[in-house]
Amino acid sequence: MKVKGHSRKMDKSVSQRFIMSSMLSPVIQDYVEQLRREIDAALDDATTFDGHCPPRLQEAIRYTLLSPGKRLRPMLLLAANELCGGNRNDALPAACAVEMIHAYSLVHDDLPSMDDDDLRRGRLTCHKKFDEATAILVGDALLALAFEMIGRLSPPELAGRCCVALANAAGPCWLVGGQMDDIATEKGFGFSKTETPQELMEMIHRRKTGAMIDVSLRLGGMIAEAPPEYVKLLGEFGRNFGLAFQITDDLLDSLGEEEFVGKRLHKDAIKKKLSYPTLLGIEESKREASVTVDKACETIEKIPSENIVAGKTLIAQTRYLLVRRK
Ligand code: GRG
């Protein structure tokens, strides 16, 4: 394991002080901007194909993947990797892979047969800009590319373990399963059985939104060769981060402004979807988001690290969920 800072556990006072200035710290801002530049350059590089990719497909893949998203999952992966003493260049292929799977899921989610959206990241959705068949193929291509990227990790044994973790998170029991249940509740098909509507909603979100966030963090730890207990803590942090992310996503759907969010809003109410504001109300949803953010921050503080900036960035990203506008 590459972490040497067992004795330098990030103490509570550090994170508390940080929390107060989290949104302002130029050090964090510089770090996040640098990560973003490196992620974008790697995504650009990974989608500059040789002459065998049809030009229309390449254009549509790059339109989708390089569009101005937040790059949240690859950033979490790289920060988790550096928190555990990893080397950024070793983790960049996996960072590209999680963003590719996320981008594929958005393209397919926007299709007329799924959520039927015309706006994503402030631009036309892929099937509106190109056509439906091209959008389906963009998703297919991004999914395959993601596994090509992660399969290139070294050593091969690590690549194998990372492939399994990513395939599991993106597969039928998690990302795709969550999407199936989400569609099934709307269309009245059979879906996974739960006791209450809130449990069903949480099951959907844990899989549809949470699984990719959770695996991004765990992959960061795995590539740094962190001990299993730290990888487990990263997963626990990811689950609370993912939940808080989803609650605030639902709040943005109710209260956000389209020009910032970059997609159509009020869809949950229009489609009568299960969402935190519709089930719990606005104030209770905000309270739940805040409690979940606190839990996530407490978990990340349990991982000892010499990389204070990476730790502070993970806490800042978590606290930022409560005030995000997109
Ligand atoms: C098609 C298998 C399949 C799954 C689709 C991602 C998804 C599952 C649906 C998107 C609908 C949605 C609103 C999901 C909840 C939260 C979410 C994943 C939001 C989008 O993620 P951001 O905000 O997006 O990180 P950007 O554009 O910033 O990358």
Side-chain angles (χ1 to χ4, degrees):
M1 129 102 184
K2 294 174 188 163
V3 177
K4 292 176 192 77
H6 291 259
S7 57
R8 293 194 52 188
K9 184 172 188 309
M10 223 190 295
D11 70 33
K12 219 173 177 77
S13 59
V14 171
S15 69
Q16 295 292 357
R17 259 185 285 128
F18 165 66
I19 285 162
M20 281 183 269
S21 61
S22 60
M23 261 69 81
L24 304 172
S25 162
V27 176
I28 308 279
Q29 267 171 28
D30 286 353
Y31 180 67
V32 166
E33 277 161 25
Q34 182 59 28
L35 290 185
R36 183 175 177 120
R37 274 195 294 276
E38 291 185 30
I39 292 162
D40 282 347
L43 292 173
D44 185 338
D45 203 41
T47 53
T48 305
F49 307 116
D50 63 24
H52 295 297
C53 177
R56 183 178 176 81
L57 182 59
Q58 167 154 336
E59 193 193 337
I61 288 172
R62 289 172 63 82
Y63 174 83
T64 299
L65 189 68
L66 307 180
S67 66
K70 294 185 286 299
R71 312 283 187 262
L72 181 66
R73 294 148 193 83
M75 281 199 201
L76 290 174
L77 188 151
L78 293 180
N81 178 257
E82 292 190 352
L83 182 81
C84 296
N87 177 319
R88 195 176 302 168
N89 285 336
D90 294 344
L92 263 173
C96 291
V98 294
E99 184 65 15
M100 286 169 176
I101 291 190
H102 171 61
Y104 122 73
S105 76
L106 295 180
V107 171
H108 280 192
D109 183 66
D110 289 336
L111 288 170
S113 56
M114 296 225 194
D115 217 27
D116 193 12
D117 262 305
D118 58 357
L119 196 64
R120 169 73 62 188
R121 295 175 167 174
R123 296 178 176 191
L124 286 178
T125 46
C126 187
H127 68 277
K128 286 283 178 189
K129 174 82 179 170
F130 296 88
D131 60 275
E132 208 177 322
T134 304
I136 293 170
L137 293 173
V138 164
D140 296 342
L142 285 172
L143 184 58
L145 260 181
F147 285 98
E148 184 181 340
M149 295 294 294
I150 206 149
R152 287 185 199 276
L153 288 175
S154 176
E157 186 274 335
L158 174 69
R161 279 191 291 121
C162 291
C163 268
V164 170
L166 188 59
N168 179 262
C173 298
W174 293 95
L175 175 66
V176 176
Q179 179 76 349
M180 182 75 242
D181 268 349
D182 197 27
I183 291 172
T185 53
E186 205 187 304
K187 303 208 168 162
F189 306 149
F191 46 82
S192 302
K193 288 277 169 287
T194 48
E195 294 292 318
T196 64
Q198 186 166 343
E199 272 178 30
L200 175 61
M201 180 180 70
E202 282 173 3
M203 273 267 286
I204 291 173
H205 294 332
R206 258 199 79 191
R207 290 175 293 155
K208 198 177 92 166
T209 309
M212 284 305 297
I213 292 177
D214 173 340
V215 78
S216 299
L217 287 148
R218 283 186 289 120
L219 286 171
M222 286 163 71
I223 295 164
E225 295 169 44
E229 61 270 28
Y230 294 170
V231 176
K232 206 167 152 218
L233 283 170
L234 286 167
E236 196 181 317
F237 167 72
R239 278 188 289 286
N240 281 313
F241 187 103
L243 180 58
F245 180 85
Q246 183 62 53
I247 301 171
T248 55
D249 206 69
D250 287 358
L251 282 165
L252 279 178
D253 187 72
S254 292
L255 306 171
E257 294 151 86
E258 222 159 74
E259 73 172 285
F260 284 110
V261 184
K263 61 182 181 182
R264 300 272 172 239
L265 299 179
H266 312 298
K267 292 201 72 171
D268 293 343
I270 293 164
K271 292 193 160 196
K272 296 196 172 60
K273 276 199 171 188
L274 285 171
S275 83
Y276 282 88
T278 53
L279 273 185
L280 304 183
I282 299 287
E283 288 315 311
E284 186 56 23
S285 301
K286 285 184 178 169
R287 205 191 65 80
E288 188 75 21
S290 173
V291 168
T292 313
V293 159
D294 286 343
K295 276 193 207 157
C297 292
E298 279 164 25
T299 308
I300 211 68
E301 286 168 5
K302 291 182 189 158
I303 300 180
S305 177
E306 286 179 349
N307 194 327
I308 302 292
V309 176
K312 285 180 172 185
T313 299
L314 288 170
I315 293 176
Q317 298 260 23
T318 315
R319 296 261 158 222
Y320 182 72
L321 293 177
L322 298 175
V323 294
R324 73 188 179 110
R325 296 175 81 187
K326 63 176 189 171

